């Protein structure tokens, strides 16, 4: 051991030397370390754009035959500059503390996106790429070239100049409107006033962190840590309704106008590119292949889940009517409350009872540990990393399959609400990876409880599930971005595969062994009892059919607004129609869902991604050994076959490589009907009563 010290010391000195060197050299990967104000951000982005132009000039200057080295490499370098620039601009648009910086982040996101569109419509670059002979001995590069050329054709590169100008203007408009939609939500936090009596049913720590106003009322906000407990636990129907309306109405009516303009621009773009509807264009390069196939998926999953969801509703209504005989129906604003009450009464599970075991800081450590064991990586905290907000935690990630551990990237966790910060839960790349040249970096943007002095940040179990979900994205991004091309990272895979690795990780949440490794009472340190885990699993399995129906509702809405003339769509009425089709819960007045449906900007018509990927994720998970989730052979096989390839092959091949066949809906069907044993499992028994392992 001792003989190692000089090596460590030498490395430490080297690290300090490198660090001080890095402080002098301009940081070309992280805008926030150099851009101390909006003007500095602008010049930082302009430097990236100048570098991109230099790469393209180099590419176009080549005389003679085109090769991967002389053409695809500078093309990928150019794409890399744009990706770094837009990731950073987007980061500061959604996360910077000062509004002027968020404004500049928004403006720069628009500028870089416009440069991206320039590149996507550049005929000379397209012709240069098309002239490269497809390499026979390098399938990843071959796929990169073929896929890039396909994207060029879908972008309209072969149209005449005037048409390309129109396409460009529409793409710019689409980006600008999408950013405006998100900004209206980030800046649109609303307050809901409640009397002390109306807070009945809410957890004590929730009430304790809200101080009463002089008149005795309480001010709640539409940020997630305030909203979710009201919808789940609040006994007062009036407060639940006001909170529900406020949450969906944060950016209403502003965002309805933005959405209409956005949909019109998308439809115009589809028309110019020769598609009847935008949904056809948006699915042309996806696994699903066409909008008609999306409808088929909706019908297929609906056939499986609708009868079960109807039964669940009838049971829930009958239950609620015993408590409240005058109740005619359960509304969309009330179902979470009644499901919670049902779980307490019939499944002996109270969602509040698990919160003390999930204080935020402990959950974060537990999820990092779980990911370490599952994916064979380790996380080293960087205490003095320069970040955009002091609350952000930074970790270097090492591959533990290499000896010594090999540095493979960096992650940033920005996990609690702030004024003006993006209000949703997401994972994004910060820096793309290029083997031997640039390590990938990714981040989580969440709005969980905690992060405030004195508040332990006790999490609800679905918040912990969300954390697992987002971490699945992060690992996919990191492990999948170790290849030779910047444009072939984990997140560059077909968009409708992106939710599979995240939803797969959600399933880990049910393992008692995993939960007990970090679910410890925040006051006593006692591990979450096995019988409580068993009841929690039974409780969270209740309502899966309803959950699927809800996903179909969003899927259908996102498809329908993209497959018909936009001008006359009444968003609220359409949403209510879809509610009738997919849920038995009754609509409430003043529900402006579409004005806060953030997926409509990023996923457009393709919300189906979640449903398709749930089918895939559950099928993936059925191949894990439930007795040995983390250390069993499936975990490493999954890392190698599904995550590590990134976008080096079509997603359908990733699925087949792991499953030995295409996905099938039968695993999802079993998952939906899964019944958990509410008695604690003995360690040697299967921990859940889930479907048996299927032989491949
Ligand atoms: Zn996701």
């Amino acid at each position: 051991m001792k003989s190692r010290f000089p090596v460590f010391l030498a490395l430490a000195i080297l690290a300090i030397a490198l660090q001080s060197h890095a402080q002098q050299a301009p940081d070309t990967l992280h805008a926030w370390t150099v851009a101390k104000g909006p003007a500095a951000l602008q010049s930082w982005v302009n430097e990236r754009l100048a570098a991109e132009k230099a790469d393209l000039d180099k590419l176009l200057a080549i005389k003679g035959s085109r090769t991967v080295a002389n053409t695809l490499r500078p093309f990928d370098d150019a794409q890399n500059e744009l990706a770094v620039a837009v990731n950073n601009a987007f980061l500061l648009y959604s996360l910077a503390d000062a509004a002027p910086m968020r404004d500049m982040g928004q403006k720069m996101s628009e500028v870089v996106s416009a440069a991206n569109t320039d590149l996507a419509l550049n005929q000379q670059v397209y012709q240069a790429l098309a002239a490269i002979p497809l390499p026979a001995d390098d399938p990843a590069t071959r796929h990169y070239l073929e896929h890039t050329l396909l994207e060029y054709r879908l972008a309209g590169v072969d149209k005449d100049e005037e048409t390309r100008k129109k396409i460009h203007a529409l793409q710019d408009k689409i980006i600008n409107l999408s950013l405006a939609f998100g900004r209206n939500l980030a800046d649109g936090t609303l307050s809901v006033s409640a009397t002390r009596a109306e807070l009945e049913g809410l957890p004590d720590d929730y009430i304790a962190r809200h101080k009463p106003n002089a008149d005795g009322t309480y001010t709640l906000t539409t940020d997630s840590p305030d909203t979710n407990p009201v919808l789940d636990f609040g006994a007062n129907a009036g407060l639940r309704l006001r909170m529900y309306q406020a949450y969906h109405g944060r950016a209403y009516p502003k965002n309805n106008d933005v959405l209409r303009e956005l949909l019109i621009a998308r439809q115009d773009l589809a028309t110019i590119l020769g598609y009847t509807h935008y949904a056809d264009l948006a699915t042309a390069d996806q696994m699903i292949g066409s909008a008609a196939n999306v409808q088929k998926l909706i019908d297929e999953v609906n056939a499986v889940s609708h009868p079960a969801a109807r039964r669940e509703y009838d049971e829930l209504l009958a239950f609620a009517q015993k408590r409240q005989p005058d109740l005619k129906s359960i509304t969309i604003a009330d179902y979470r409350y009644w499901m919670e009450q049902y779980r307490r009464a019939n499944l002996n599970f109270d969602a509040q009872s698990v919160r003390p075991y999930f204080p935020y800081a402990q959950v974060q450590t537990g999820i990092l540990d779980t990911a370490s064991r599952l994916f064979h990586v380790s996380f080293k905290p960087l205490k003095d990393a320069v970040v955009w907000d002091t609350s952000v935690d930074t970790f270097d990630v090492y591959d533990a399959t290499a000896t010594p551990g090999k540095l493979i990237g960096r992650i940033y966790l920005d996990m609690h609400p702030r004024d003006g910060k993006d209000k949703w839960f997401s994972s994004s790349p910060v820096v793309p990876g290029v083997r031997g040249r640039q390590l990938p970096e990714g981040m989580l943007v969440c709005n969980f409880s905690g992060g405030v002095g004195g508040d332990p940040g006790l999490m609800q179990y679905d918040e912990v599930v969300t954390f697992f979900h987002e971490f699945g994205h992060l690992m996919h991004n990191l492990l999948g971005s170790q290849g030779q091309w910047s444009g072939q990272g984990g997140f560059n895979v077909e968009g409708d595969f992106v939710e599979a690795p995240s939803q797969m990780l959600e399933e880990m949440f049910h393992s008692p062994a995993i939960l007990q490794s970090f679910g410890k009472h925040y006051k006593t340190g006692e591990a979450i009892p096995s019988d409580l885990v068993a009841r929690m699993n039974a409780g969270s399995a209740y309502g899966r059919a309803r959950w699927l129906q809800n996903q179909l509702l969003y899927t259908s809405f996102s498809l329908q607004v993209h497959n018909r003339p936009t001008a006359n769509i009444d968003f609220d009425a359409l949403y209510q129609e879809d509610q009738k089709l997919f849920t038995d819960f009754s609509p409430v007045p003043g529900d402006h869902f579409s004005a806060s449906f953030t997926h409509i900007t990023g996923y457009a018509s393709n919300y189906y991604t979640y449903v398709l990927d749930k089918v895939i994720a559950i099928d993936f998970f059925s191949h894990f050994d439930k007795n040995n989730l983390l250390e069993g052979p499936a975990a490493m096989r999954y890392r190698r076959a599904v995550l590590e390839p990134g976008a080096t092959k079509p997603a359908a091949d990733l699925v087949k490589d792991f499953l030995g066949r295409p996905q099938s809906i039968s695993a999802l069907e079993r998952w939906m009907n899964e019944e958990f044993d509410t008695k604690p499992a003995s360690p040697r028994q299967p921990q859940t009563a889930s479907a048996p392992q299927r032989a491949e």
Side-chain angles (χ1 to χ4, degrees):
M1 289 293 279
K2 264 186 189 168
S3 66
R4 281 185 159 185
F5 273 112
V7 179
F8 278 130
L9 209 59
L11 285 176
I13 291 165
L14 182 66
I16 292 165
L18 285 173
Q19 208 175 20
S20 58
H21 176 72
Q23 276 161 4
Q24 288 155 14
D27 188 336
T28 57
L29 298 176
H30 312 98
W32 66 88
T33 64
V34 286
K36 296 302 174 209
L41 172 62
Q42 186 167 27
S43 41
W44 186 91
V45 168
N46 285 337
E47 283 162 25
R48 303 283 76 68
L49 294 178
E52 184 240 3
K53 186 171 181 304
D55 292 326
L56 293 182
D57 288 347
K58 194 167 139 195
L59 181 162
L60 293 172
I62 296 293
K63 306 271 181 269
S65 55
R66 296 266 165 203
T67 65
V68 167
N70 73 18
T71 302
L72 189 61
R73 177 53 68 194
F75 171 78
D76 190 64
D77 288 346
Q79 288 220 110
N80 185 61
E81 291 293 349
L82 291 179
V84 167
V86 83
N87 291 350
N88 274 272
F90 192 81
L91 186 155
L92 291 165
Y93 149 80
S94 46
L95 302 173
D97 283 332
M101 197 61 159
R102 295 199 296 276
D103 291 341
M104 185 55 83
Q106 182 167 350
K107 191 173 154 201
M108 288 299 104
S109 295
E110 293 170 3
V111 167
V112 185
S113 297
N116 220 354
T117 306
D118 286 344
L119 181 55
L121 292 171
N122 188 319
Q123 289 183 332
Q124 284 174 293
V125 173
Y126 171 68
Q127 281 149 10
L129 291 168
I132 303 173
L134 288 176
D137 54 347
D138 180 353
T141 300
R142 186 187 176 93
H143 178 62
Y144 188 33
L145 255 178
E146 285 177 334
H147 183 75
T148 303
L149 294 173
L150 167 71
E151 293 300 328
Y152 263 102
R153 290 190 294 272
L154 287 175
V157 72
D158 49 4
K159 304 285 180 200
D160 60 52
E161 195 182 338
E162 198 192 332
T163 309
R164 277 184 289 132
K165 271 189 189 155
K166 278 188 201 157
I167 292 172
H168 203 306
L170 286 168
Q171 291 284 21
D172 290 350
K173 197 170 177 186
I174 288 167
I175 292 291
N176 301 358
L177 290 164
S178 298
L179 291 167
F181 190 95
R183 191 66 190 278
N184 287 341
L185 284 167
D187 292 343
T189 301
L190 294 181
S191 297
V192 172
S193 176
T195 64
R196 177 65 184 81
E198 286 175 328
L199 300 182
E200 191 197 329
L202 285 156
D204 290 342
D205 61 290
Y206 181 96
I207 297 171
R209 73 181 161 82
H210 293 89
K211 301 288 167 250
N213 301 315
D215 63 356
T217 60
Y218 288 74
T219 303
L220 314 179
T221 74
T222 49
D223 284 353
S224 297
D226 269 13
T227 305
N228 286 324
V230 168
L231 297 177
D232 286 326
F233 306 128
N236 187 284
L239 178 62
R240 292 198 301 267
L241 178 61
R242 296 203 303 280
M243 188 57 110
Y244 181 91
Q245 289 166 327
Y247 185 76
H248 281 178
R250 285 172 293 157
Y252 180 84
K254 262 196 250 176
N255 266 357
N256 263 19
D257 300 336
V258 176
L259 179 58
R260 193 173 306 282
E261 263 194 87
L262 175 65
L263 295 172
I264 290 170
R266 283 177 177 160
Q267 178 57 49
D268 289 349
L269 179 67
T271 306
I272 289 180
L273 291 170
Y275 290 85
T276 311
H277 297 299
Y278 185 80
D280 299 313
L281 170 65
T283 47
D285 59 349
Q286 300 295 303
M287 287 175 89
I288 203 138
S290 70
N293 286 343
V294 177
Q295 190 57 52
K296 269 190 211 153
L297 177 74
I298 293 175
D299 295 343
E300 195 183 3
V301 175
N302 193 37
V304 167
S305 56
H306 194 265
R310 167 59 58 87
R311 274 197 307 278
E312 280 175 7
Y313 177 81
D314 290 343
E315 261 172 39
L316 191 65
L317 180 61
F319 167 81
Q321 283 172 333
K322 273 188 215 151
R323 302 258 174 110
Q324 203 178 309
D326 61 333
L327 199 68
K328 296 281 178 288
S329 67
I330 295 177
T331 74
I332 196 92
D334 288 336
Y335 80 86
R336 287 170 57 172
Y337 170 77
W338 284 115
M339 286 182 73
E340 170 62 17
Q341 296 301 313
Y342 180 95
R343 288 188 188 102
R344 285 184 194 182
N346 294 345
L347 300 168
N348 191 21
F349 175 64
D350 173 350
Q352 287 194 33
S353 66
V354 296
R355 293 178 61 248
Y357 297 94
F358 298 132
Y360 177 80
Q362 228 167 263
V363 171
Q364 176 172 311
T365 306
I367 286 180
L368 289 169
D369 288 347
T370 304
S372 297
R373 292 164 61 199
L374 184 67
F375 298 117
H376 298 266
V377 294
S378 64
F379 299 94
K380 185 171 166 257
L382 287 179
K383 292 286 176 217
D384 50 3
V386 179
V387 281
W388 53 92
D389 186 87
T390 49
S391 69
V392 176
D393 282 343
T394 309
F395 298 85
D396 272 344
V397 187
Y398 291 82
D399 182 359
T401 63
T403 324
K406 181 182 158 219
L407 184 62
I408 56 168
R410 182 171 291 184
I411 58 170
Y412 305 92
L413 307 181
D414 187 341
M415 305 303 272
H416 308 290
R418 288 191 301 275
D419 280 348
K421 176 185 154 178
D422 180 84
K423 299 299 176 200
W424 196 239
F425 301 81
S426 64
S427 174
S428 317
V430 176
V431 175
V434 187
R435 189 190 300 146
R437 293 171 51 177
Q438 184 174 292
L439 289 172
E441 299 183 9
M443 66 170 174
L444 294 191
V445 176
C446 296
N447 284 277
F448 291 127
S449 316
V452 181
D455 176 13
L458 304 183
M459 297 172 81
Q460 291 182 218
Y461 66 84
D462 47 5
E463 287 186 300
V464 186
V465 174
T466 298
F467 199 160
F468 270 97
H469 175 105
E470 298 305 336
F471 216 86
H473 283 309
L474 200 56
M475 294 315 298
H476 181 207
N477 178 17
L478 220 71
L479 290 166
S481 300
Q482 305 290 329
Q484 58 188 318
W485 303 111
S486 170
Q488 226 173 18
F491 276 22
N492 298 111
V493 72
E494 286 99 311
D496 62 0
F497 181 71
V498 162
E499 297 298 334
S502 51
Q503 296 192 96
M504 213 291 290
L505 210 58
E506 286 179 25
E507 297 305 308
M508 298 285 162
F509 175 74
H510 301 294
S511 156
I514 293 175
L515 288 174
Q516 288 176 334
S517 71
F518 67 87
K520 304 222 161 68
H521 198 285
Y522 79 114
K523 281 187 176 155
T524 64
E526 170 216 15
I528 186 167
S530 298
D531 76 305
L532 181 53
V533 173
R535 285 184 283 118
M536 180 178 75
N537 283 337
S540 72
Y542 168 69
R544 283 179 176 174
R546 182 223 38 94
W547 180 86
L548 278 171
Q549 290 292 114
N550 237 20
Q551 293 296 80
L552 293 179
L553 160 64
Y554 301 148
T555 299
S556 182
F557 183 82
S558 89
L559 178 64
Q560 285 174 325
V561 295
H562 289 97
N563 73 359
R564 60 184 61 185
T566 310
N568 299 322
I569 298 179
D570 176 337
F571 298 126
D572 292 347
L574 179 64
Y575 182 62
Q576 288 203 4
E577 266 173 48
D578 280 330
Q579 273 187 344
K580 280 184 203 136
L581 274 179
F582 294 105
T583 89
D584 293 299
F585 299 112
S586 48
V588 295
D591 182 356
H592 306 300
F593 162 81
S594 55
S596 67
F597 188 30
T598 49
H599 291 87
I600 210 84
T601 58
Y603 287 74
S605 58
N606 296 0
Y607 190 91
Y608 75 85
T609 296
Y610 286 90
V611 179
L612 175 65
D613 289 351
K614 192 75 182 179
V615 173
I616 295 170
I618 299 297
D619 209 346
F620 280 167
F621 188 68
S622 72
H623 288 249
F624 280 68
D625 176 0
K626 305 297 179 295
N627 290 317
N628 194 14
L629 277 179
L630 299 180
E631 273 83 25
M636 200 58 201
R637 201 165 65 75
Y638 174 74
R639 172 180 150 173
R640 298 271 191 242
V642 178
L643 302 183
E644 282 184 5
T648 59
K649 44 172 97 166
D653 289 357
L654 304 176
V655 174
K656 274 187 236 155
D657 289 349
F658 184 74
L659 295 176
R661 53 163 174 75
Q663 73 273 7
S664 129
I665 199 171
S666 55
L668 182 80
E669 211 173 339
R670 285 197 302 274
W671 173 85
M672 194 188 71
N673 295 308
E674 187 174 11
E675 282 185 16
F676 284 85
D677 195 346
T678 52
K679 288 188 280 302
S682 84
R684 289 181 184 278
Q685 294 296 312
Q687 290 154 352
T688 67
S690 61
Q693 284 295 110
R694 201 154 20 141
E696 283 185 25

